[in-house]
Amino acid sequence: MPTSLPSPPSDWSSFEIPLGFIHDALVGVLPWFPEQFVIHVYALAILLGIAVAITVSNYRLTARGAEPWIVIDLAIWAVVFGIVGSRIWHVATHPDDFFGEGKNTWNAFEPGSVWAVWEGGVAIFGAVLFGGLGVYIACRLAGLRFTAAVDAMAPTLLLAQAFGRLGNYFNQELFGLPTDLPWGLEIDRPNPAIPVGIPADALFHPTFLYEIIWLLAGFGVLMLIENRVSLGKVQSGIGKFLPVWPTFTRRDAWHWGKMVGLYAIWYGIGRAWFESIRLDPSETLFGIRSNVWGALLFILVGIIVIVVQTKRHPGIEPSVYLPGKEWTPDSAVDSDEIYTDDETGDGAGSTTPAPATSGASRK
């Protein structure tokens, strides 16, 4: 068995594309224009995750009757709001990194400022909360039912997050406590996340790998639950003391936002543990890391959503669209012939074959 898990070389975390004559042409007008364009592997991992999530969400949403690829409209709002929210959450939970004497807090595009997202520092909790707000706005504009949209998208967030964690691997960040397990992660020194006193040859828990496995497993579990497990009151056993109880006797539709609850519970459970063994500094409350509190809040909210929505909406949603906003494909229009305005000598209209046409309309 391997005795350790190597990290990628530090210079693999990004690569540069020289801008050459483009820089020479623009630097006179834009003095700050860079000589090269820096592409971070972390950003590519996030973009790949977004693309996978959009593709799977499109399949899930159109299977329930939505217009094909309308999920892109939702994703644009979700990504923009999610980026802003993820940075706000990170800054709020790491205030010592950005505020105080000698800190470059507000100088845009300068290292160490709250705007310097390219240096890292985004948080999934903020991305989910603010991204959800973006989806809500997009749903109102598109006439979609918000709960239907987020039910289709929530499980795919697990896929997107799994790809994003690969970026942490290339950045050599978010690793866990020292370990002597065969898959201990090698980390280059110096690294600001490693406390003083840790031996130079120490290996660390690869929390990025743990989380990837947990996220991919979660997607599979949520798909299984969605297709096999029903919710409702039972009349005997421990279930009669609970507001809802899972059974495997029939297939039930997890609509009305209940898939969001499942996502929040699964992700919260895993993140609470992964966060508790991370080594990088973080704000704490009562000795518990801030993101552990965030994970516990996710679990609580997920339980509340499932219980409340099951009691309020025991059936399936009537449509993914709001009343009066439904979308349906046009039925095909077939005709053996159409008449033209051209007249022949005897006054009769000539005929030409007409191709079948199809389209889509929103009622």
Side-chain angles (χ1 to χ4, degrees):
M1 292 183 62
T3 57
S4 65
L5 177 65
S7 288
S10 299
D11 56 2
W12 285 18
S13 63
S14 64
F15 54 94
E16 300 173 349
I17 300 178
L19 297 179
F21 72 92
I22 299 177
H23 168 266
D24 297 338
L26 295 178
V27 71
V29 180
L30 304 173
W32 48 266
F33 198 83
E35 296 183 10
Q36 63 274 329
F37 186 64
V38 180
I39 298 178
H40 295 271
V41 174
Y42 188 22
L44 294 179
I46 292 176
L47 291 175
L48 180 59
I50 291 173
V52 171
I54 289 175
T55 302
V56 179
S57 294
N58 174 68
Y59 172 80
R60 288 173 52 77
L61 199 55
T62 54
R64 292 181 54 185
E67 180 181 356
W69 296 110
I70 196 172
V71 70
I72 294 179
D73 296 346
L74 311 182
I76 292 173
W77 284 85
V79 169
V80 172
F81 273 68
I83 291 174
V84 174
S86 66
R87 186 61 173 180
I88 290 175
W89 186 287
H90 175 78
V91 172
T93 55
H94 297 78
D96 292 342
D97 293 345
F98 302 97
F99 302 96
E101 186 177 354
K103 299 294 184 180
N104 183 26
T105 303
W106 300 111
N107 292 337
F109 305 111
E110 291 293 332
S113 74
V114 298
W115 312 104
V117 181
W118 60 87
E119 294 183 336
V122 291
I124 186 61
F125 295 121
V128 171
L129 293 175
F130 279 71
L133 175 60
V135 171
Y136 177 80
I137 295 173
C139 284
R140 300 301 296 181
L141 296 174
L144 279 169
R145 200 181 296 271
F146 174 67
T147 51
V150 293
D151 276 339
M153 299 173 73
T156 70
L157 291 179
L158 297 171
L159 299 178
Q161 291 167 239
F163 280 97
R165 285 307 182 207
L166 285 175
N168 298 135
Y169 175 52
F170 279 87
N171 284 354
Q172 297 195 31
E173 59 187 2
L174 307 189
F175 46 87
L177 297 169
T179 181
D180 56 1
L181 292 171
W183 53 83
L185 181 65
E186 300 175 10
I187 296 294
D188 295 338
R189 272 70 161 184
N191 189 302
I194 301 177
V196 176
I198 299 293
D201 59 349
L203 303 176
F204 303 91
H205 280 287
T207 51
F208 82 93
L209 180 59
Y210 298 162
E211 191 160 344
I212 288 174
I213 295 172
W214 179 259
L215 294 168
L216 295 179
F219 179 77
V221 169
L222 263 60
M223 293 299 95
L224 178 64
I225 292 176
E226 185 180 48
N227 287 279
R228 298 296 180 185
V229 181
S230 62
L231 280 177
K233 286 283 290 184
V234 294
Q235 302 303 317
S236 61
I238 191 174
K240 65 183 179 180
F241 301 107
L242 300 175
V244 294
W245 184 252
T247 65
F248 293 84
T249 57
R250 62 184 177 85
R251 176 175 175 174
D252 194 23
W254 284 73
H255 293 180
W256 300 106
K258 286 177 270 186
M259 285 303 294
V260 177
L262 280 180
Y263 159 79
I265 293 171
W266 183 271
Y267 181 68
I269 291 172
R271 184 61 183 271
W273 181 66
F274 304 137
E275 192 71 27
S276 66
I277 65 170
R278 274 172 51 173
L279 198 59
D280 54 308
S282 175
E283 293 293 311
T284 61
L285 179 63
F286 302 117
I288 299 176
R289 293 168 65 97
S290 58
N291 281 333
V292 174
W293 286 112
L296 297 177
L297 179 61
F298 254 45
I299 297 171
L300 177 61
V301 170
I303 294 172
I304 292 174
V305 167
I306 292 175
V307 171
V308 171
Q309 291 298 85
T310 298
K311 293 174 71 68
R312 291 182 60 192
H313 304 286
I316 65 174
E317 289 173 317
S319 170
V320 296
Y321 287 98
L322 296 171
K325 302 291 186 179
E326 292 83 0
W327 171 89
T328 56
D330 282 339
S331 59
V333 178
D334 296 313
S335 176
D336 292 334
E337 57 183 23
I338 62 173
Y339 291 92
T340 71
D341 292 332
D342 298 331
E343 294 185 358
T344 62
D346 60 4
S350 63
T351 62
T352 56
T357 60
S358 63
S361 65
R362 191 181 302 282
K363 293 182 180 178

